[in-house]
Structures are given as structure tokens and as C-alpha cells.
Amino acid sequence: MRYQMLKRDMKLFLHCLLPAMVLTTVFAAVCAIAGLAAVNNAKDVYTPVRAAVVDRGDSAFNRMLIRAIAKTDYISALLEVSACDMDTAMEGMESGELSAVIVLPEGVVDGITTGSSTKGEIYLSSSVAAYADIVKSIAAFGELLLATGQYGVFSGQHLIWKYDLGEQFHSKFLSKVNPLLLGEGIGAASSYFDVQVLDYAGTGMSTEAYYAVSWAALLIMLLPLFLARLYTQDLKKPMLCRLRGAGIKDRDFLLGKIACPAAFQAVVLAVILYAVKGQVVPSVGIVPVLCALAGVIVSAVVCCFLMMLGYRGVSLLIVIALTGLLLCGGIIPRQMLPEGLLAVGAMTPYGIVQTLLMPIWGGRFRWSSCGMGAAYVVIASAAVYARLRYVRIGGDEV
């Protein structure tokens, strides 16, 4: 009897599949356009950018240099520079308060003027790494740093005049050293700093990957809307009583209504991963794949209960998915949302599905998301059984 019920559900699913595929394609295109707009918005929100300078040497000269940079017009227009220690700087990058961190090692200015290989470090958030004007303004820091070396050369001019060293010394000294330093300044960012691009807002992912998984999670969660008949066709008291009398248990009744949509969601997710592989390389391993499948199962079970509530469940599903997308930073950049809202968003059904999908897009694996996902599956399963009993004893039908 179980297989007969599953066969019936398969027929209903296949009957819904063609229009569902068409609607999914249209909706996927809408999500792609909206996701690209959200990515661009996340990158454009950093004007001006907040950057921190970590001076490991903690020298008075470097402190003067930092203050001078902060007041330079062509840098201050795009870059707000402040000084702090390394721990504070990394915390700022993690929370999104900072978009760049420039680290000066001990003796960096002396190293530049004497030709040693001392290197600093520049950390960029992935949100600003592709924003040319901002990267230029950060690189300009290196140019100014190199320019400080010229003060020592220019001071040599006073010695030339004082001791009347002659035109020959001038041509062999200043005329050659100054252009050399200017040339060094142009390539300072690559010559004297190691530039590293960090993940987006502490997610372990690039900006593009984060928004791709956010909008993919929305699409996955809303796919059951296109399969409404599968959930509601048999959800009537006479049919439920007849099936119960024929030996069909509740778990047999629900098997196809969860398995078929879950398979459809998994296929759509695979198609999305393939479609964006040029921009985001999938992380195909045991843990990422299992997490993605867990996300699909959580979505399928939760959506099964909501769809069995009829039009009320449809409205609730849309509200849950869109609210989760908003609270998780899929519309408004994460850096602009309070930590409390992000925490609430992460605990919504959408947030759990999004978090479980993240590892396959290169994001971090979180055990807490697995626990919350299991809790949602248990709660939604109990709610589904309660719904079936309610309809069977004479409650409202769909």
C-alpha cells in the first residue's frame, strides 16, 4: 500500500512538473536579477570606506604620517583612516565596520629608505576588492608612504647648497634618486604590501557567493508553491479516512509529498550551482554535499506543513522566506544590519536553510545549523501529523 500511495504522489508530481519548471525558470531569472542588484548595492555601500592602520612600530613619525593621510583630499573622499591595534582591526573586519586594514611592520619607513625588503600588509574585505576607486585610495597610502622617503632626499639639497657640492653631485644624486623614488611609489602597493582579500562580513565566502546562496535559498524554499496540487489533492476528510481504512498510514501518505519536492529542489540547486560556476566555484565534498541535502530536507518538510495549510500556509511561506532573506542580509547588506536582527534571521527556517547551503558555496560549516535544522524537521513533522488528524476528525479541509 505504501508504494501505491507513493505511485499516486508521483503521478500528481509529474502532472505539476511542467508548469513548475516553467515558473521556476521565470522565478530563477527574477532572483538572479535581484541578486545581482543586491551584490552591486553591497559593494556600492562602502563610500567612503572605513580603514584602519595598525602601526606595529608605534613610532611618532608613523602617527604623523597616518594623520597626514587622513587629511589628504583625494584619499579622504573615499577613505576614512583611523589607527588601532591588530585585534581591534580584525574584529572590525569581521563585523563589517572596517573594509580595509593596513598593517605597518616595525621599521617600515627605514626599510623603504634603505632598500630593505620589509613588507607591510593590506587586508581588504571582498566587498571592496572589486571596487577600483576604493582600492586605488588604499594603494595611495603606499604611495604616500614612499613619498616620505623623498623628504630625506630633498633635505640633501640643503647640504648641496651649504657645502657647494656642485652640479655634478646634484645630477648624480637628486636627479636620479628622486625619479627612482617616484617610480617606487607608483608600485608601492605591490612592492611593499602583501594584499589579502578577506571573506564577506565573516561568512567565509565571497560577496558574490553569499548573495548567490541567499537568493538560491529563497528559490528553493518557494519551489513548493508550484506544486500545490501535490499537497492538497488528497487532503480531504473522506479521502484521508478511505486511505486510512485501506492501510495507508500517515507516514506513507506524507512520503511522496516530501520526497518528490525534495528531489525537485535538489535538482534545481544542482542546476544553479552549475549555472554560476564561472563566478562561484562549488565546494564538492562529503560535508558540503551532506549539508546541502540537509538544507533541502529541512525546506521540504517545513514547506510540506505550510502548503497543507492551504492559502494561509502559502501566504505564511512567502512571508517567512522573504523575511528571512531580509534579516539574513540578502537584500540589505549584512554590515548595515544590527547583530540582533542577523541572529534572529539565522534562526528562521529560511536562515537555517541558507546556512546549511553555505558550505557547498565555500562558506563555513556550523554544527548549530544542523541542530536547529533537526529541530525544525521534528517540529514540522509533528505539526504535519497534527494537521492530518485535525482534518480527519472533521477540521477544515484544503
Side-chain angles (χ1 to χ4, degrees), residues 352 356 366-376:
I352 297 301
L356 287 171
R366 293 181 173 87
W367 280 106
S368 59
S369 61
C370 294
M372 286 291 294
Y376 270 116

Side-chain angles (χ1 to χ4, degrees), residues 8-75:
R8 175 180 173 82
D9 286 333
M10 285 290 294
K11 288 182 179 179
L12 286 172
F13 171 72
L14 293 174
H15 183 77
C16 300
L17 185 57
L18 182 58
M21 291 175 63
V22 174
L23 292 171
T24 298
T25 302
V26 174
F27 189 45
V30 173
C31 288
I33 295 172
L36 287 174
V39 169
N40 293 331
N41 181 51
K43 291 178 178 178
D44 292 342
V45 78
Y46 291 99
T47 306
V49 172
R50 294 192 61 194
V53 177
V54 177
D55 181 13
R56 295 191 184 278
D58 193 25
S59 64
F61 181 81
N62 287 356
R63 288 196 294 271
M64 293 172 61
L65 177 61
I66 293 170
R67 286 196 294 270
I69 291 174
K71 295 178 181 179
T72 304
D73 291 340
Y74 74 94
I75 288 183

Side-chain angles (χ1 to χ4, degrees), residues 77-328:
L78 286 173
L79 196 63
E80 295 178 0
V81 181
S82 60
C84 64
D85 58 40
M86 192 65 182
D87 291 339
T88 303
M90 289 297 101
E91 288 175 2
M93 289 288 284
E94 180 77 14
S95 65
E97 294 180 5
L98 296 174
S99 298
V101 173
I102 303 161
V103 181
L104 301 180
E106 294 185 11
V108 64
V109 174
D110 291 338
I112 291 172
T113 55
T114 59
S116 65
S117 58
T118 303
K119 271 198 172 188
E121 295 174 321
I122 295 177
Y123 297 90
L124 300 178
S125 72
S126 60
S127 299
V128 301
Y131 200 50
D133 290 340
I134 294 174
V135 175
K136 278 184 181 179
S137 67
I138 296 171
F141 177 88
E143 295 180 27
L144 281 182
L145 185 61
L146 262 294
T148 61
Q150 284 195 286
Y151 293 130
V153 179
F154 288 142
S155 66
Q157 180 68 63
H158 176 72
L159 297 177
I160 293 174
W161 289 338
K162 182 177 180 180
Y163 295 103
D164 193 22
L165 296 178
E167 183 64 28
Q168 185 178 11
F169 184 85
H170 184 280
S171 62
K172 289 184 177 181
F173 182 55
L174 290 185
S175 298
K176 292 183 177 181
V177 172
N178 284 345
L180 177 63
L181 285 175
L182 286 173
E184 286 286 313
I186 294 173
S190 59
S191 300
Y192 294 99
F193 290 96
D194 289 323
V195 179
Q196 302 179 37
V197 178
L198 302 183
D199 58 82
Y200 174 67
T203 62
M205 312 166 69
S206 66
T207 306
E208 291 79 6
Y210 181 79
Y211 280 92
V213 73
S214 297
W215 285 86
L218 177 72
L219 177 61
I220 294 301
M221 283 206 69
L222 294 183
L223 284 183
L225 294 176
F226 309 143
L227 305 170
R229 189 178 177 187
L230 174 65
Y231 299 101
T232 61
Q233 180 71 24
D234 297 331
L235 196 62
K236 298 176 176 60
K237 180 179 179 180
M239 177 60 73
L240 289 178
C241 293
R242 190 181 311 124
L243 292 173
R244 188 62 173 252
I248 300 295
K249 297 181 179 180
D250 288 349
R251 63 174 178 270
D252 303 326
F253 179 83
L254 295 170
L255 178 60
K257 293 171 176 55
I258 294 176
C260 292
F264 184 45
Q265 290 169 314
V267 170
V268 171
L269 178 61
V271 172
I272 294 173
L273 285 167
Y274 179 80
V276 301
K277 68 177 183 179
Q279 297 294 327
V280 182
V281 179
S283 182
V284 183
I286 295 178
V287 172
V289 171
L290 290 178
C291 284
L293 291 177
V296 168
I297 292 172
V298 172
S299 175
V301 176
V302 172
C303 292
C304 178
F305 166 66
L306 294 174
M307 291 300 295
M308 291 176 70
L309 293 177
Y311 67 90
R312 294 167 298 179
V314 168
S315 302
L316 187 57
L317 175 57
I318 294 173
V319 169
I320 288 175
L322 291 178
T323 301
L325 178 69
L326 175 64
L327 296 181
C328 290

